[in-house]
Amino acid sequence: MARSKVPIALALVGLFGCSASDPDPRRASDPARTPSAQQAAPEVAPSPREERAALSYSGELTQGGFIRGQVPSGAVRAVLGDEALELAEDGAFFAAFDRDSPASLVLSATLADGSRVNETLTVTERTWPVQNINAAKRPAGSSEAWWKRREPEYNAIVAARAKVTDAQGWKQDFIWPVKGRISGPFGVQRVYRGEPGSYHSGVDIAPGNGVPFVAPADGVVVLARTGFSLEGGLIIVDHGGGLNSAFLHCSKIAVEEGEAVSQGQYIGNVGSTGRSTGPHLHWGLKWNEARLDPLLFAGSME
Ligand SMILES: [Zn+2]
């Protein structure tokens, strides 16, 4: 059963989000919002494209959510909080809000003359369910021995996620890699016998063992290996723009590192490899270091 989208967030997006085609005349004529309208139109040959003086964006302005937008014409740099954004040639960008994002973040574009266009974004707070687990937080055994095995795996994952590709999937509306019962929603806070542990960093989908799954958006496979101690069979797909997907516990991997994949392309099969209590696909989404809610990308399963 799929949880519905966050209705408050959607309502807020309607209020605070705006799109490139926003017809609201106040946005274009308010001098406070367009401090550099003159500078933004330098002496260049007339372009058929309309010059943009304001930042535009739309999306899910909530913890774990994201926005897509465009910087003003002539912008040379943009940041969300202190994270630099990758700007496409046409000024399009992607940015996202960590599960624990503050309630307010400044989106800022810097123009060639050094002036800035700023927007303060309101990011709605979510309340995260708590899962009480009747087990010790740390498994018995030497942590040194554990880290000896884990360190190369950890380094491989970090290196894969740092790879920059020319993938354009960040521009697409995501689809579910596979549909099935949500056995673990994103963001759930785990508590081990009263001691808070990590939160659930992705969404668990349980369609059954061996069921094939697909790429939720275009991308480049930056990691595809079996045998990770926690993740088991692991696929990481870079979607460009700093956004990537991880698929854990795979029983089979059908792609290779370096391979470009298209949205909807079969990439692997659901399994229970690594640290897993039953067959499911754990789908994690990250933008830089921010952990995101896949449900906000793929929408309701109905
Ligand atoms: Zn999971």
Side-chain angles (χ1 to χ4, degrees):
M1 137 240 57
R3 279 151 47 102
S4 62
K5 283 191 162 195
V6 181
I8 294 169
L10 288 173
L12 288 170
V13 169
L15 288 171
F16 299 122
C18 62
S19 69
S21 58
D22 191 339
D24 186 345
R26 286 168 302 177
R27 297 190 76 84
S29 61
D30 182 348
R33 297 182 78 100
T34 59
S36 306
Q38 304 313 313
Q39 293 95 314
E43 295 166 28
V44 290
S47 156
R49 218 170 46 212
E50 200 187 325
E51 293 292 330
R52 295 179 312 274
L55 275 161
S56 64
Y57 57 89
S58 62
E60 304 274 359
L61 279 88
T62 187
Q63 290 177 328
F66 64 94
I67 51 172
R68 296 189 184 95
Q70 280 207 306
V71 292
S73 304
V76 293
R77 190 168 179 270
V79 294
L80 174 66
D82 50 16
E83 289 283 341
L85 310 185
E86 285 182 33
L87 298 181
E89 228 161 88
D90 63 356
F93 69 85
F94 178 92
F97 313 105
D98 185 60
R99 187 257 199 192
D100 298 322
S101 167
S104 168
L105 276 174
V106 175
L107 178 63
S108 175
T110 304
L111 305 180
D113 66 1
S115 64
R116 286 187 184 187
V117 179
N118 293 332
E119 285 266 353
T120 301
L121 308 185
T122 301
V123 181
T124 47
E125 198 181 343
R126 296 170 64 181
T127 47
W128 304 103
V130 170
Q131 181 189 11
N132 287 297
I133 298 164
N134 187 18
K137 187 176 167 187
R138 277 172 245 286
S142 150
S143 61
E144 206 175 305
W146 160 248
W147 184 242
K148 202 174 168 193
R149 175 172 180 199
R150 183 60 182 163
E151 190 176 20
E153 298 179 353
Y154 176 83
N155 291 340
I157 293 167
V158 170
R161 282 198 150 124
K163 279 182 192 155
V164 175
T165 74
D166 59 0
Q168 302 287 304
W170 61 273
K171 295 179 177 174
Q172 296 174 310
D173 288 331
F174 278 50
I175 61 171
W176 285 98
V178 64
K179 290 186 176 178
R181 183 175 66 90
I182 301 287
S183 57
F186 171 80
V188 173
Q189 178 64 53
R190 298 169 175 133
V191 176
Y192 297 87
R193 290 182 186 151
E195 193 184 354
S198 59
Y199 65 81
H200 189 224
S201 62
V203 63
D204 290 342
I205 314 160
N209 197 30
V211 172
F213 64 90
V214 303
D218 292 356
V220 173
V221 178
V222 289
L223 192 149
R225 294 183 210 173
T226 57
F228 281 84
S229 48
L230 298 180
E231 297 85 1
L234 171 64
I235 302 172
I236 300 180
V237 175
D238 179 53
H239 301 298
L243 179 67
N244 59 67
S245 280
F247 305 97
L248 280 62
H249 313 305
C250 306
S251 61
K252 188 183 168 192
I253 291 176
V255 288
E256 289 177 2
E257 289 173 16
E259 191 176 333
V261 293
S262 303
Q263 184 177 58
Q265 181 183 331
Y266 160 62
I267 57 173
N269 296 68
V270 174
S272 190
T273 56
R275 191 177 291 175
S276 166
T277 53
H280 71 279
L281 180 69
H282 171 109
W283 174 25
L285 265 173
K286 264 186 118 176
W287 177 69
N288 299 333
E289 288 309 305
R291 296 211 176 263
L292 313 174
D293 185 353
L295 187 64
L296 296 174
F297 284 71
S300 161
M301 272 199 210
E302 283 97 56

